[in-house]
Amino acid sequence: MPFKIVASQCTSCSACEPLCPNDAISEKGGSFVIEAAKCTECVGHFDEPQCVAACPVDNTCVVDTSLPRYQAPA
Amino acid sequence: MNAVVGRGKYVEAAVDGGKMKSAAEHKGCRASANTGQASCGSQAGQGDLPIEIWEKVKNHPCYSEEAHHHYARMHVAVAPACNIQCNYCNRKYNCTNESRPGVVSEKLTPEQAVRKVLAVATAIPQMTVLGIAGPGDPLANPAKTFKTFELVAKAAPDIKLCLSTNGLALPDHIDTVARSKVDHVTITINTIDPEIGAKIYPWIFFNHKRYTGIDATRILTDRQLQGLEMLSERGILCKVNSVMIPNINDRHLVEVNKAVKSRGAFLHNIMPLISAPEHGTVFGLNGQRGPTAWELKALQDACEGEIKMMRHCRQCRADAVGLLGEDRSAEFTTDQVMKMDVQYDLDMRKEYQSRVDRERAAKVAAGQKELAECAGEMSAITLLVAVATKGSGLINEHFGHAKEFQVYELSTSGAKFVGYRRVDVYCQGGYGEENRLSAIMGGIHDCHAVFVSKIGGCPKSKLIEAGIEPVDQYAHEFIEKSAIAWFKSYLDKVKRGEIQHVQRGGAAIRQGSGISAA
């Protein structure tokens, strides 16, 4: 399951965008969005998802439960 | 209560007239007021500053109290992201009605920012300084910050560049800062004790991880002090900002002051906490109060020594434009800037600035002449006076139109700027607002006199009733010169027994509505 950004809570501060190791984050219509296909949940990159760690608003970068968890390539 | 505190010792603040306004009394939000700076020695600018530092700061409104009457600065909001969270901060990116550091009307790209700089430089030739101060942290947005500096240095080489940071990422970028021709850096250091820090900073983002509690504040403190040392080694001028938070770090700031002084900071700016509930900060929502004007001044006085204290900071927005104490950012929105015909005219700017310099020299000379005539006067009396001014070091504002009053401490050694008090404008559409008048009087309650260019009959008599002498005989004259002349006549009256000198009580720091950034 990749992460997603709760648009209604996103302040569009841009903290997450440059930190994403996969360049999955971009600005759209006043808030930032995560491209699900690119999100690796930071597995293999960092100990914790960078968007979650840097976001100033709690519970704004959250797991997208509608999609399967990210699987690291074998 | 005595409004003048002995220097060099921190006096436990007694309860005075400065009560926080209740939320119900608020009609929106505006930065709290009152700070200031020890001007160098007396009021004459360079004072005891080494010549090489004076050369760097003499036209920098945030680094020289004397310059702030004459020169303007601007901030461009290219750095929205932040790498730490402070309990006194809540960033807003499309807000026009609050005046505090984390707030801007619109975020800018570096290209938009440089266009805005050129537009302002043309419209306000006394704008000499460009700062990047947020609304997040400039060094958490290094690409945008340094790109902006690069573009501005190319397009407007005479404008000084400065940045204001929390210091966490400073050691990583120190060489880029040095290369960018940034010669003024401000680091916000609120504590050097991680235990205290844990009450101010809920978390930091460092090295790809979020840290909380003591772990976070230990890292932050180490990095801040390391960054300060690195700046000093490279000869980059550094000011330290500290937010005074009563019962959390207020007494500890004396230690912070010593620590930053020993590491080469040249100016220390202790600002009052802004914590109106409507700002939505953790402190605001928890009812953490800000300091009173008297508490703030007592702490600033206690810290005053080898390092100069800045007392004229207006805690401005990250997109402020204009002289400190005024805000012209609304004239320079991206839409408007794009429509402007921008011709960067360096010669015009230089000529304008040399005119300003001549004005300044005349002002300083007048103050010194008046002081010389005062020489030989011996009196232990010190008192505060409030001044309504629009800038240029003149008493040139009507009492009813003043958005703030500048406060000077008068003694036989001269007039020293010690802060300012923000107020709601008394005169609305030609009529005075009575309840506003009492709020204004609360804001300058510790002053013996208020100097104005003009004042109506009603407020005049109310002020006299409250024991504050309204003085309009020095309209459009220089502040220091007039204040010293008035003080001389005050001392004469005391000597002749016509009046009896009494100390005046404390005053409130105003947190109110409406924007008056700077």
Side-chain angles (χ1 to χ4, degrees), chain B residues 469-485:
Chain B
E469 184 188 339
V471 182
D472 56 5
Q473 77 207 64
Y474 300 104
H476 302 285
E477 292 188 34
F478 292 126
I479 296 170
E480 279 104 348
K481 170 184 170 290
S482 310
I484 295 164

Side-chain angles (χ1 to χ4, degrees), chain B residues 245-299:
Chain B
I245 310 160
N247 305 321
I248 291 185
N249 73 344
D250 44 359
R251 310 195 65 169
H252 170 68
L253 284 176
V254 177
E255 299 307 311
V256 173
N257 177 266
K258 288 185 185 130
V260 302
K261 183 165 65 180
S262 68
R263 287 170 177 80
F266 117 99
L267 187 63
H268 191 190
N269 174 23
I270 297 180
M271 303 172 283
L273 170 72
I274 298 171
S275 60
E278 60 270 29
H279 296 158
T281 63
V282 170
F283 283 148
L285 297 171
N286 290 352
Q288 167 66 50
R289 73 172 180 92
T292 63
W294 189 83
E295 288 170 329
L296 180 71
K297 183 175 181 299
L299 177 61

Side-chain angles (χ1 to χ4, degrees), chain A residues 11-15 17 19 27 32 46-48 50 52-56 58, chain B residues 79-82 85 91 93 107 140-141 144 203-205 207-211:
Chain A
T11 61
S12 191
C13 81
S14 81
E17 180 195 23
L19 298 171
E27 194 165 11
F32 281 81
F46 301 110
D47 294 344
E48 51 191 306
Q50 297 296 282
V52 178
C55 180
D58 290 343
Chain B
C82 198
Q85 183 60 50
R91 290 179 296 285
Y93 307 99
K107 298 180 293 181
N141 307 257
K144 294 174 193 156
W203 58 264
I204 68 167
F205 179 79
N207 231 349
H208 304 292
K209 278 173 65 173
R210 179 181 286 213
Y211 293 85

Side-chain angles (χ1 to χ4, degrees), chain B residues 333-350:
Chain B
T333 61
T334 302
D335 288 351
Q336 287 159 312
V337 164
M338 287 303 160
K339 283 183 225 151
M340 288 178 191
D341 174 31
V342 175
Q343 298 290 333
Y344 193 71
D345 186 342
L346 188 58
D347 291 340
M348 177 275 285
R349 284 174 48 80
K350 277 191 175 150

Side-chain angles (χ1 to χ4, degrees), chain B residues 2 4 60 87 102 167 185 225 260 287-288 298 324 349 388 459:
Chain B
N2 183 354
V4 180
H60 196 313
N87 283 333
V185 173
L225 296 177
V260 302
Q288 167 66 50
L324 270 61
R349 284 174 48 80

Side-chain angles (χ1 to χ4, degrees), chain B residues 38-157:
Chain B
S39 57
C40 323
S42 64
Q43 67 284 12
Q46 185 187 341
D48 49 7
L49 274 187
I51 189 78
E52 67 278 8
I53 292 188
W54 173 241
E55 280 303 317
K56 278 188 182 176
V57 302
K58 68 177 184 188
N59 294 351
H60 196 313
C62 310
Y63 278 65
S64 157
E65 183 272 318
E66 200 265 332
H68 105 273
H69 297 277
H70 306 275
Y71 284 102
R73 55 79 191 94
M74 71 180 292
H75 291 166
V76 285
V78 294
C82 198
N83 48 5
I84 70 173
Q85 183 60 50
C86 306
N87 283 333
Y88 51 71
C89 179
N90 178 25
R91 290 179 296 285
K92 293 181 184 174
Y93 307 99
N94 54 359
C95 170
T96 53
N97 66 346
E98 288 182 22
S99 175
R100 52 189 183 85
V103 168
V104 294
S105 292
E106 51 181 357
K107 298 180 293 181
L108 301 178
T109 64
E111 291 72 21
Q112 290 169 323
V114 75
R115 202 180 153 81
K116 182 173 178 177
V117 170
L118 296 178
V120 173
T122 305
I124 309 178
Q126 67 273 44
M127 190 276 287
T128 51
V129 169
L130 167 74
I132 299 180
D137 188 85
L139 300 179
N141 307 257
K144 294 174 193 156
T145 294
F146 293 118
K147 181 73 183 166
T148 305
F149 283 146
E150 185 195 328
L151 294 173
V152 171
K154 227 181 278 174

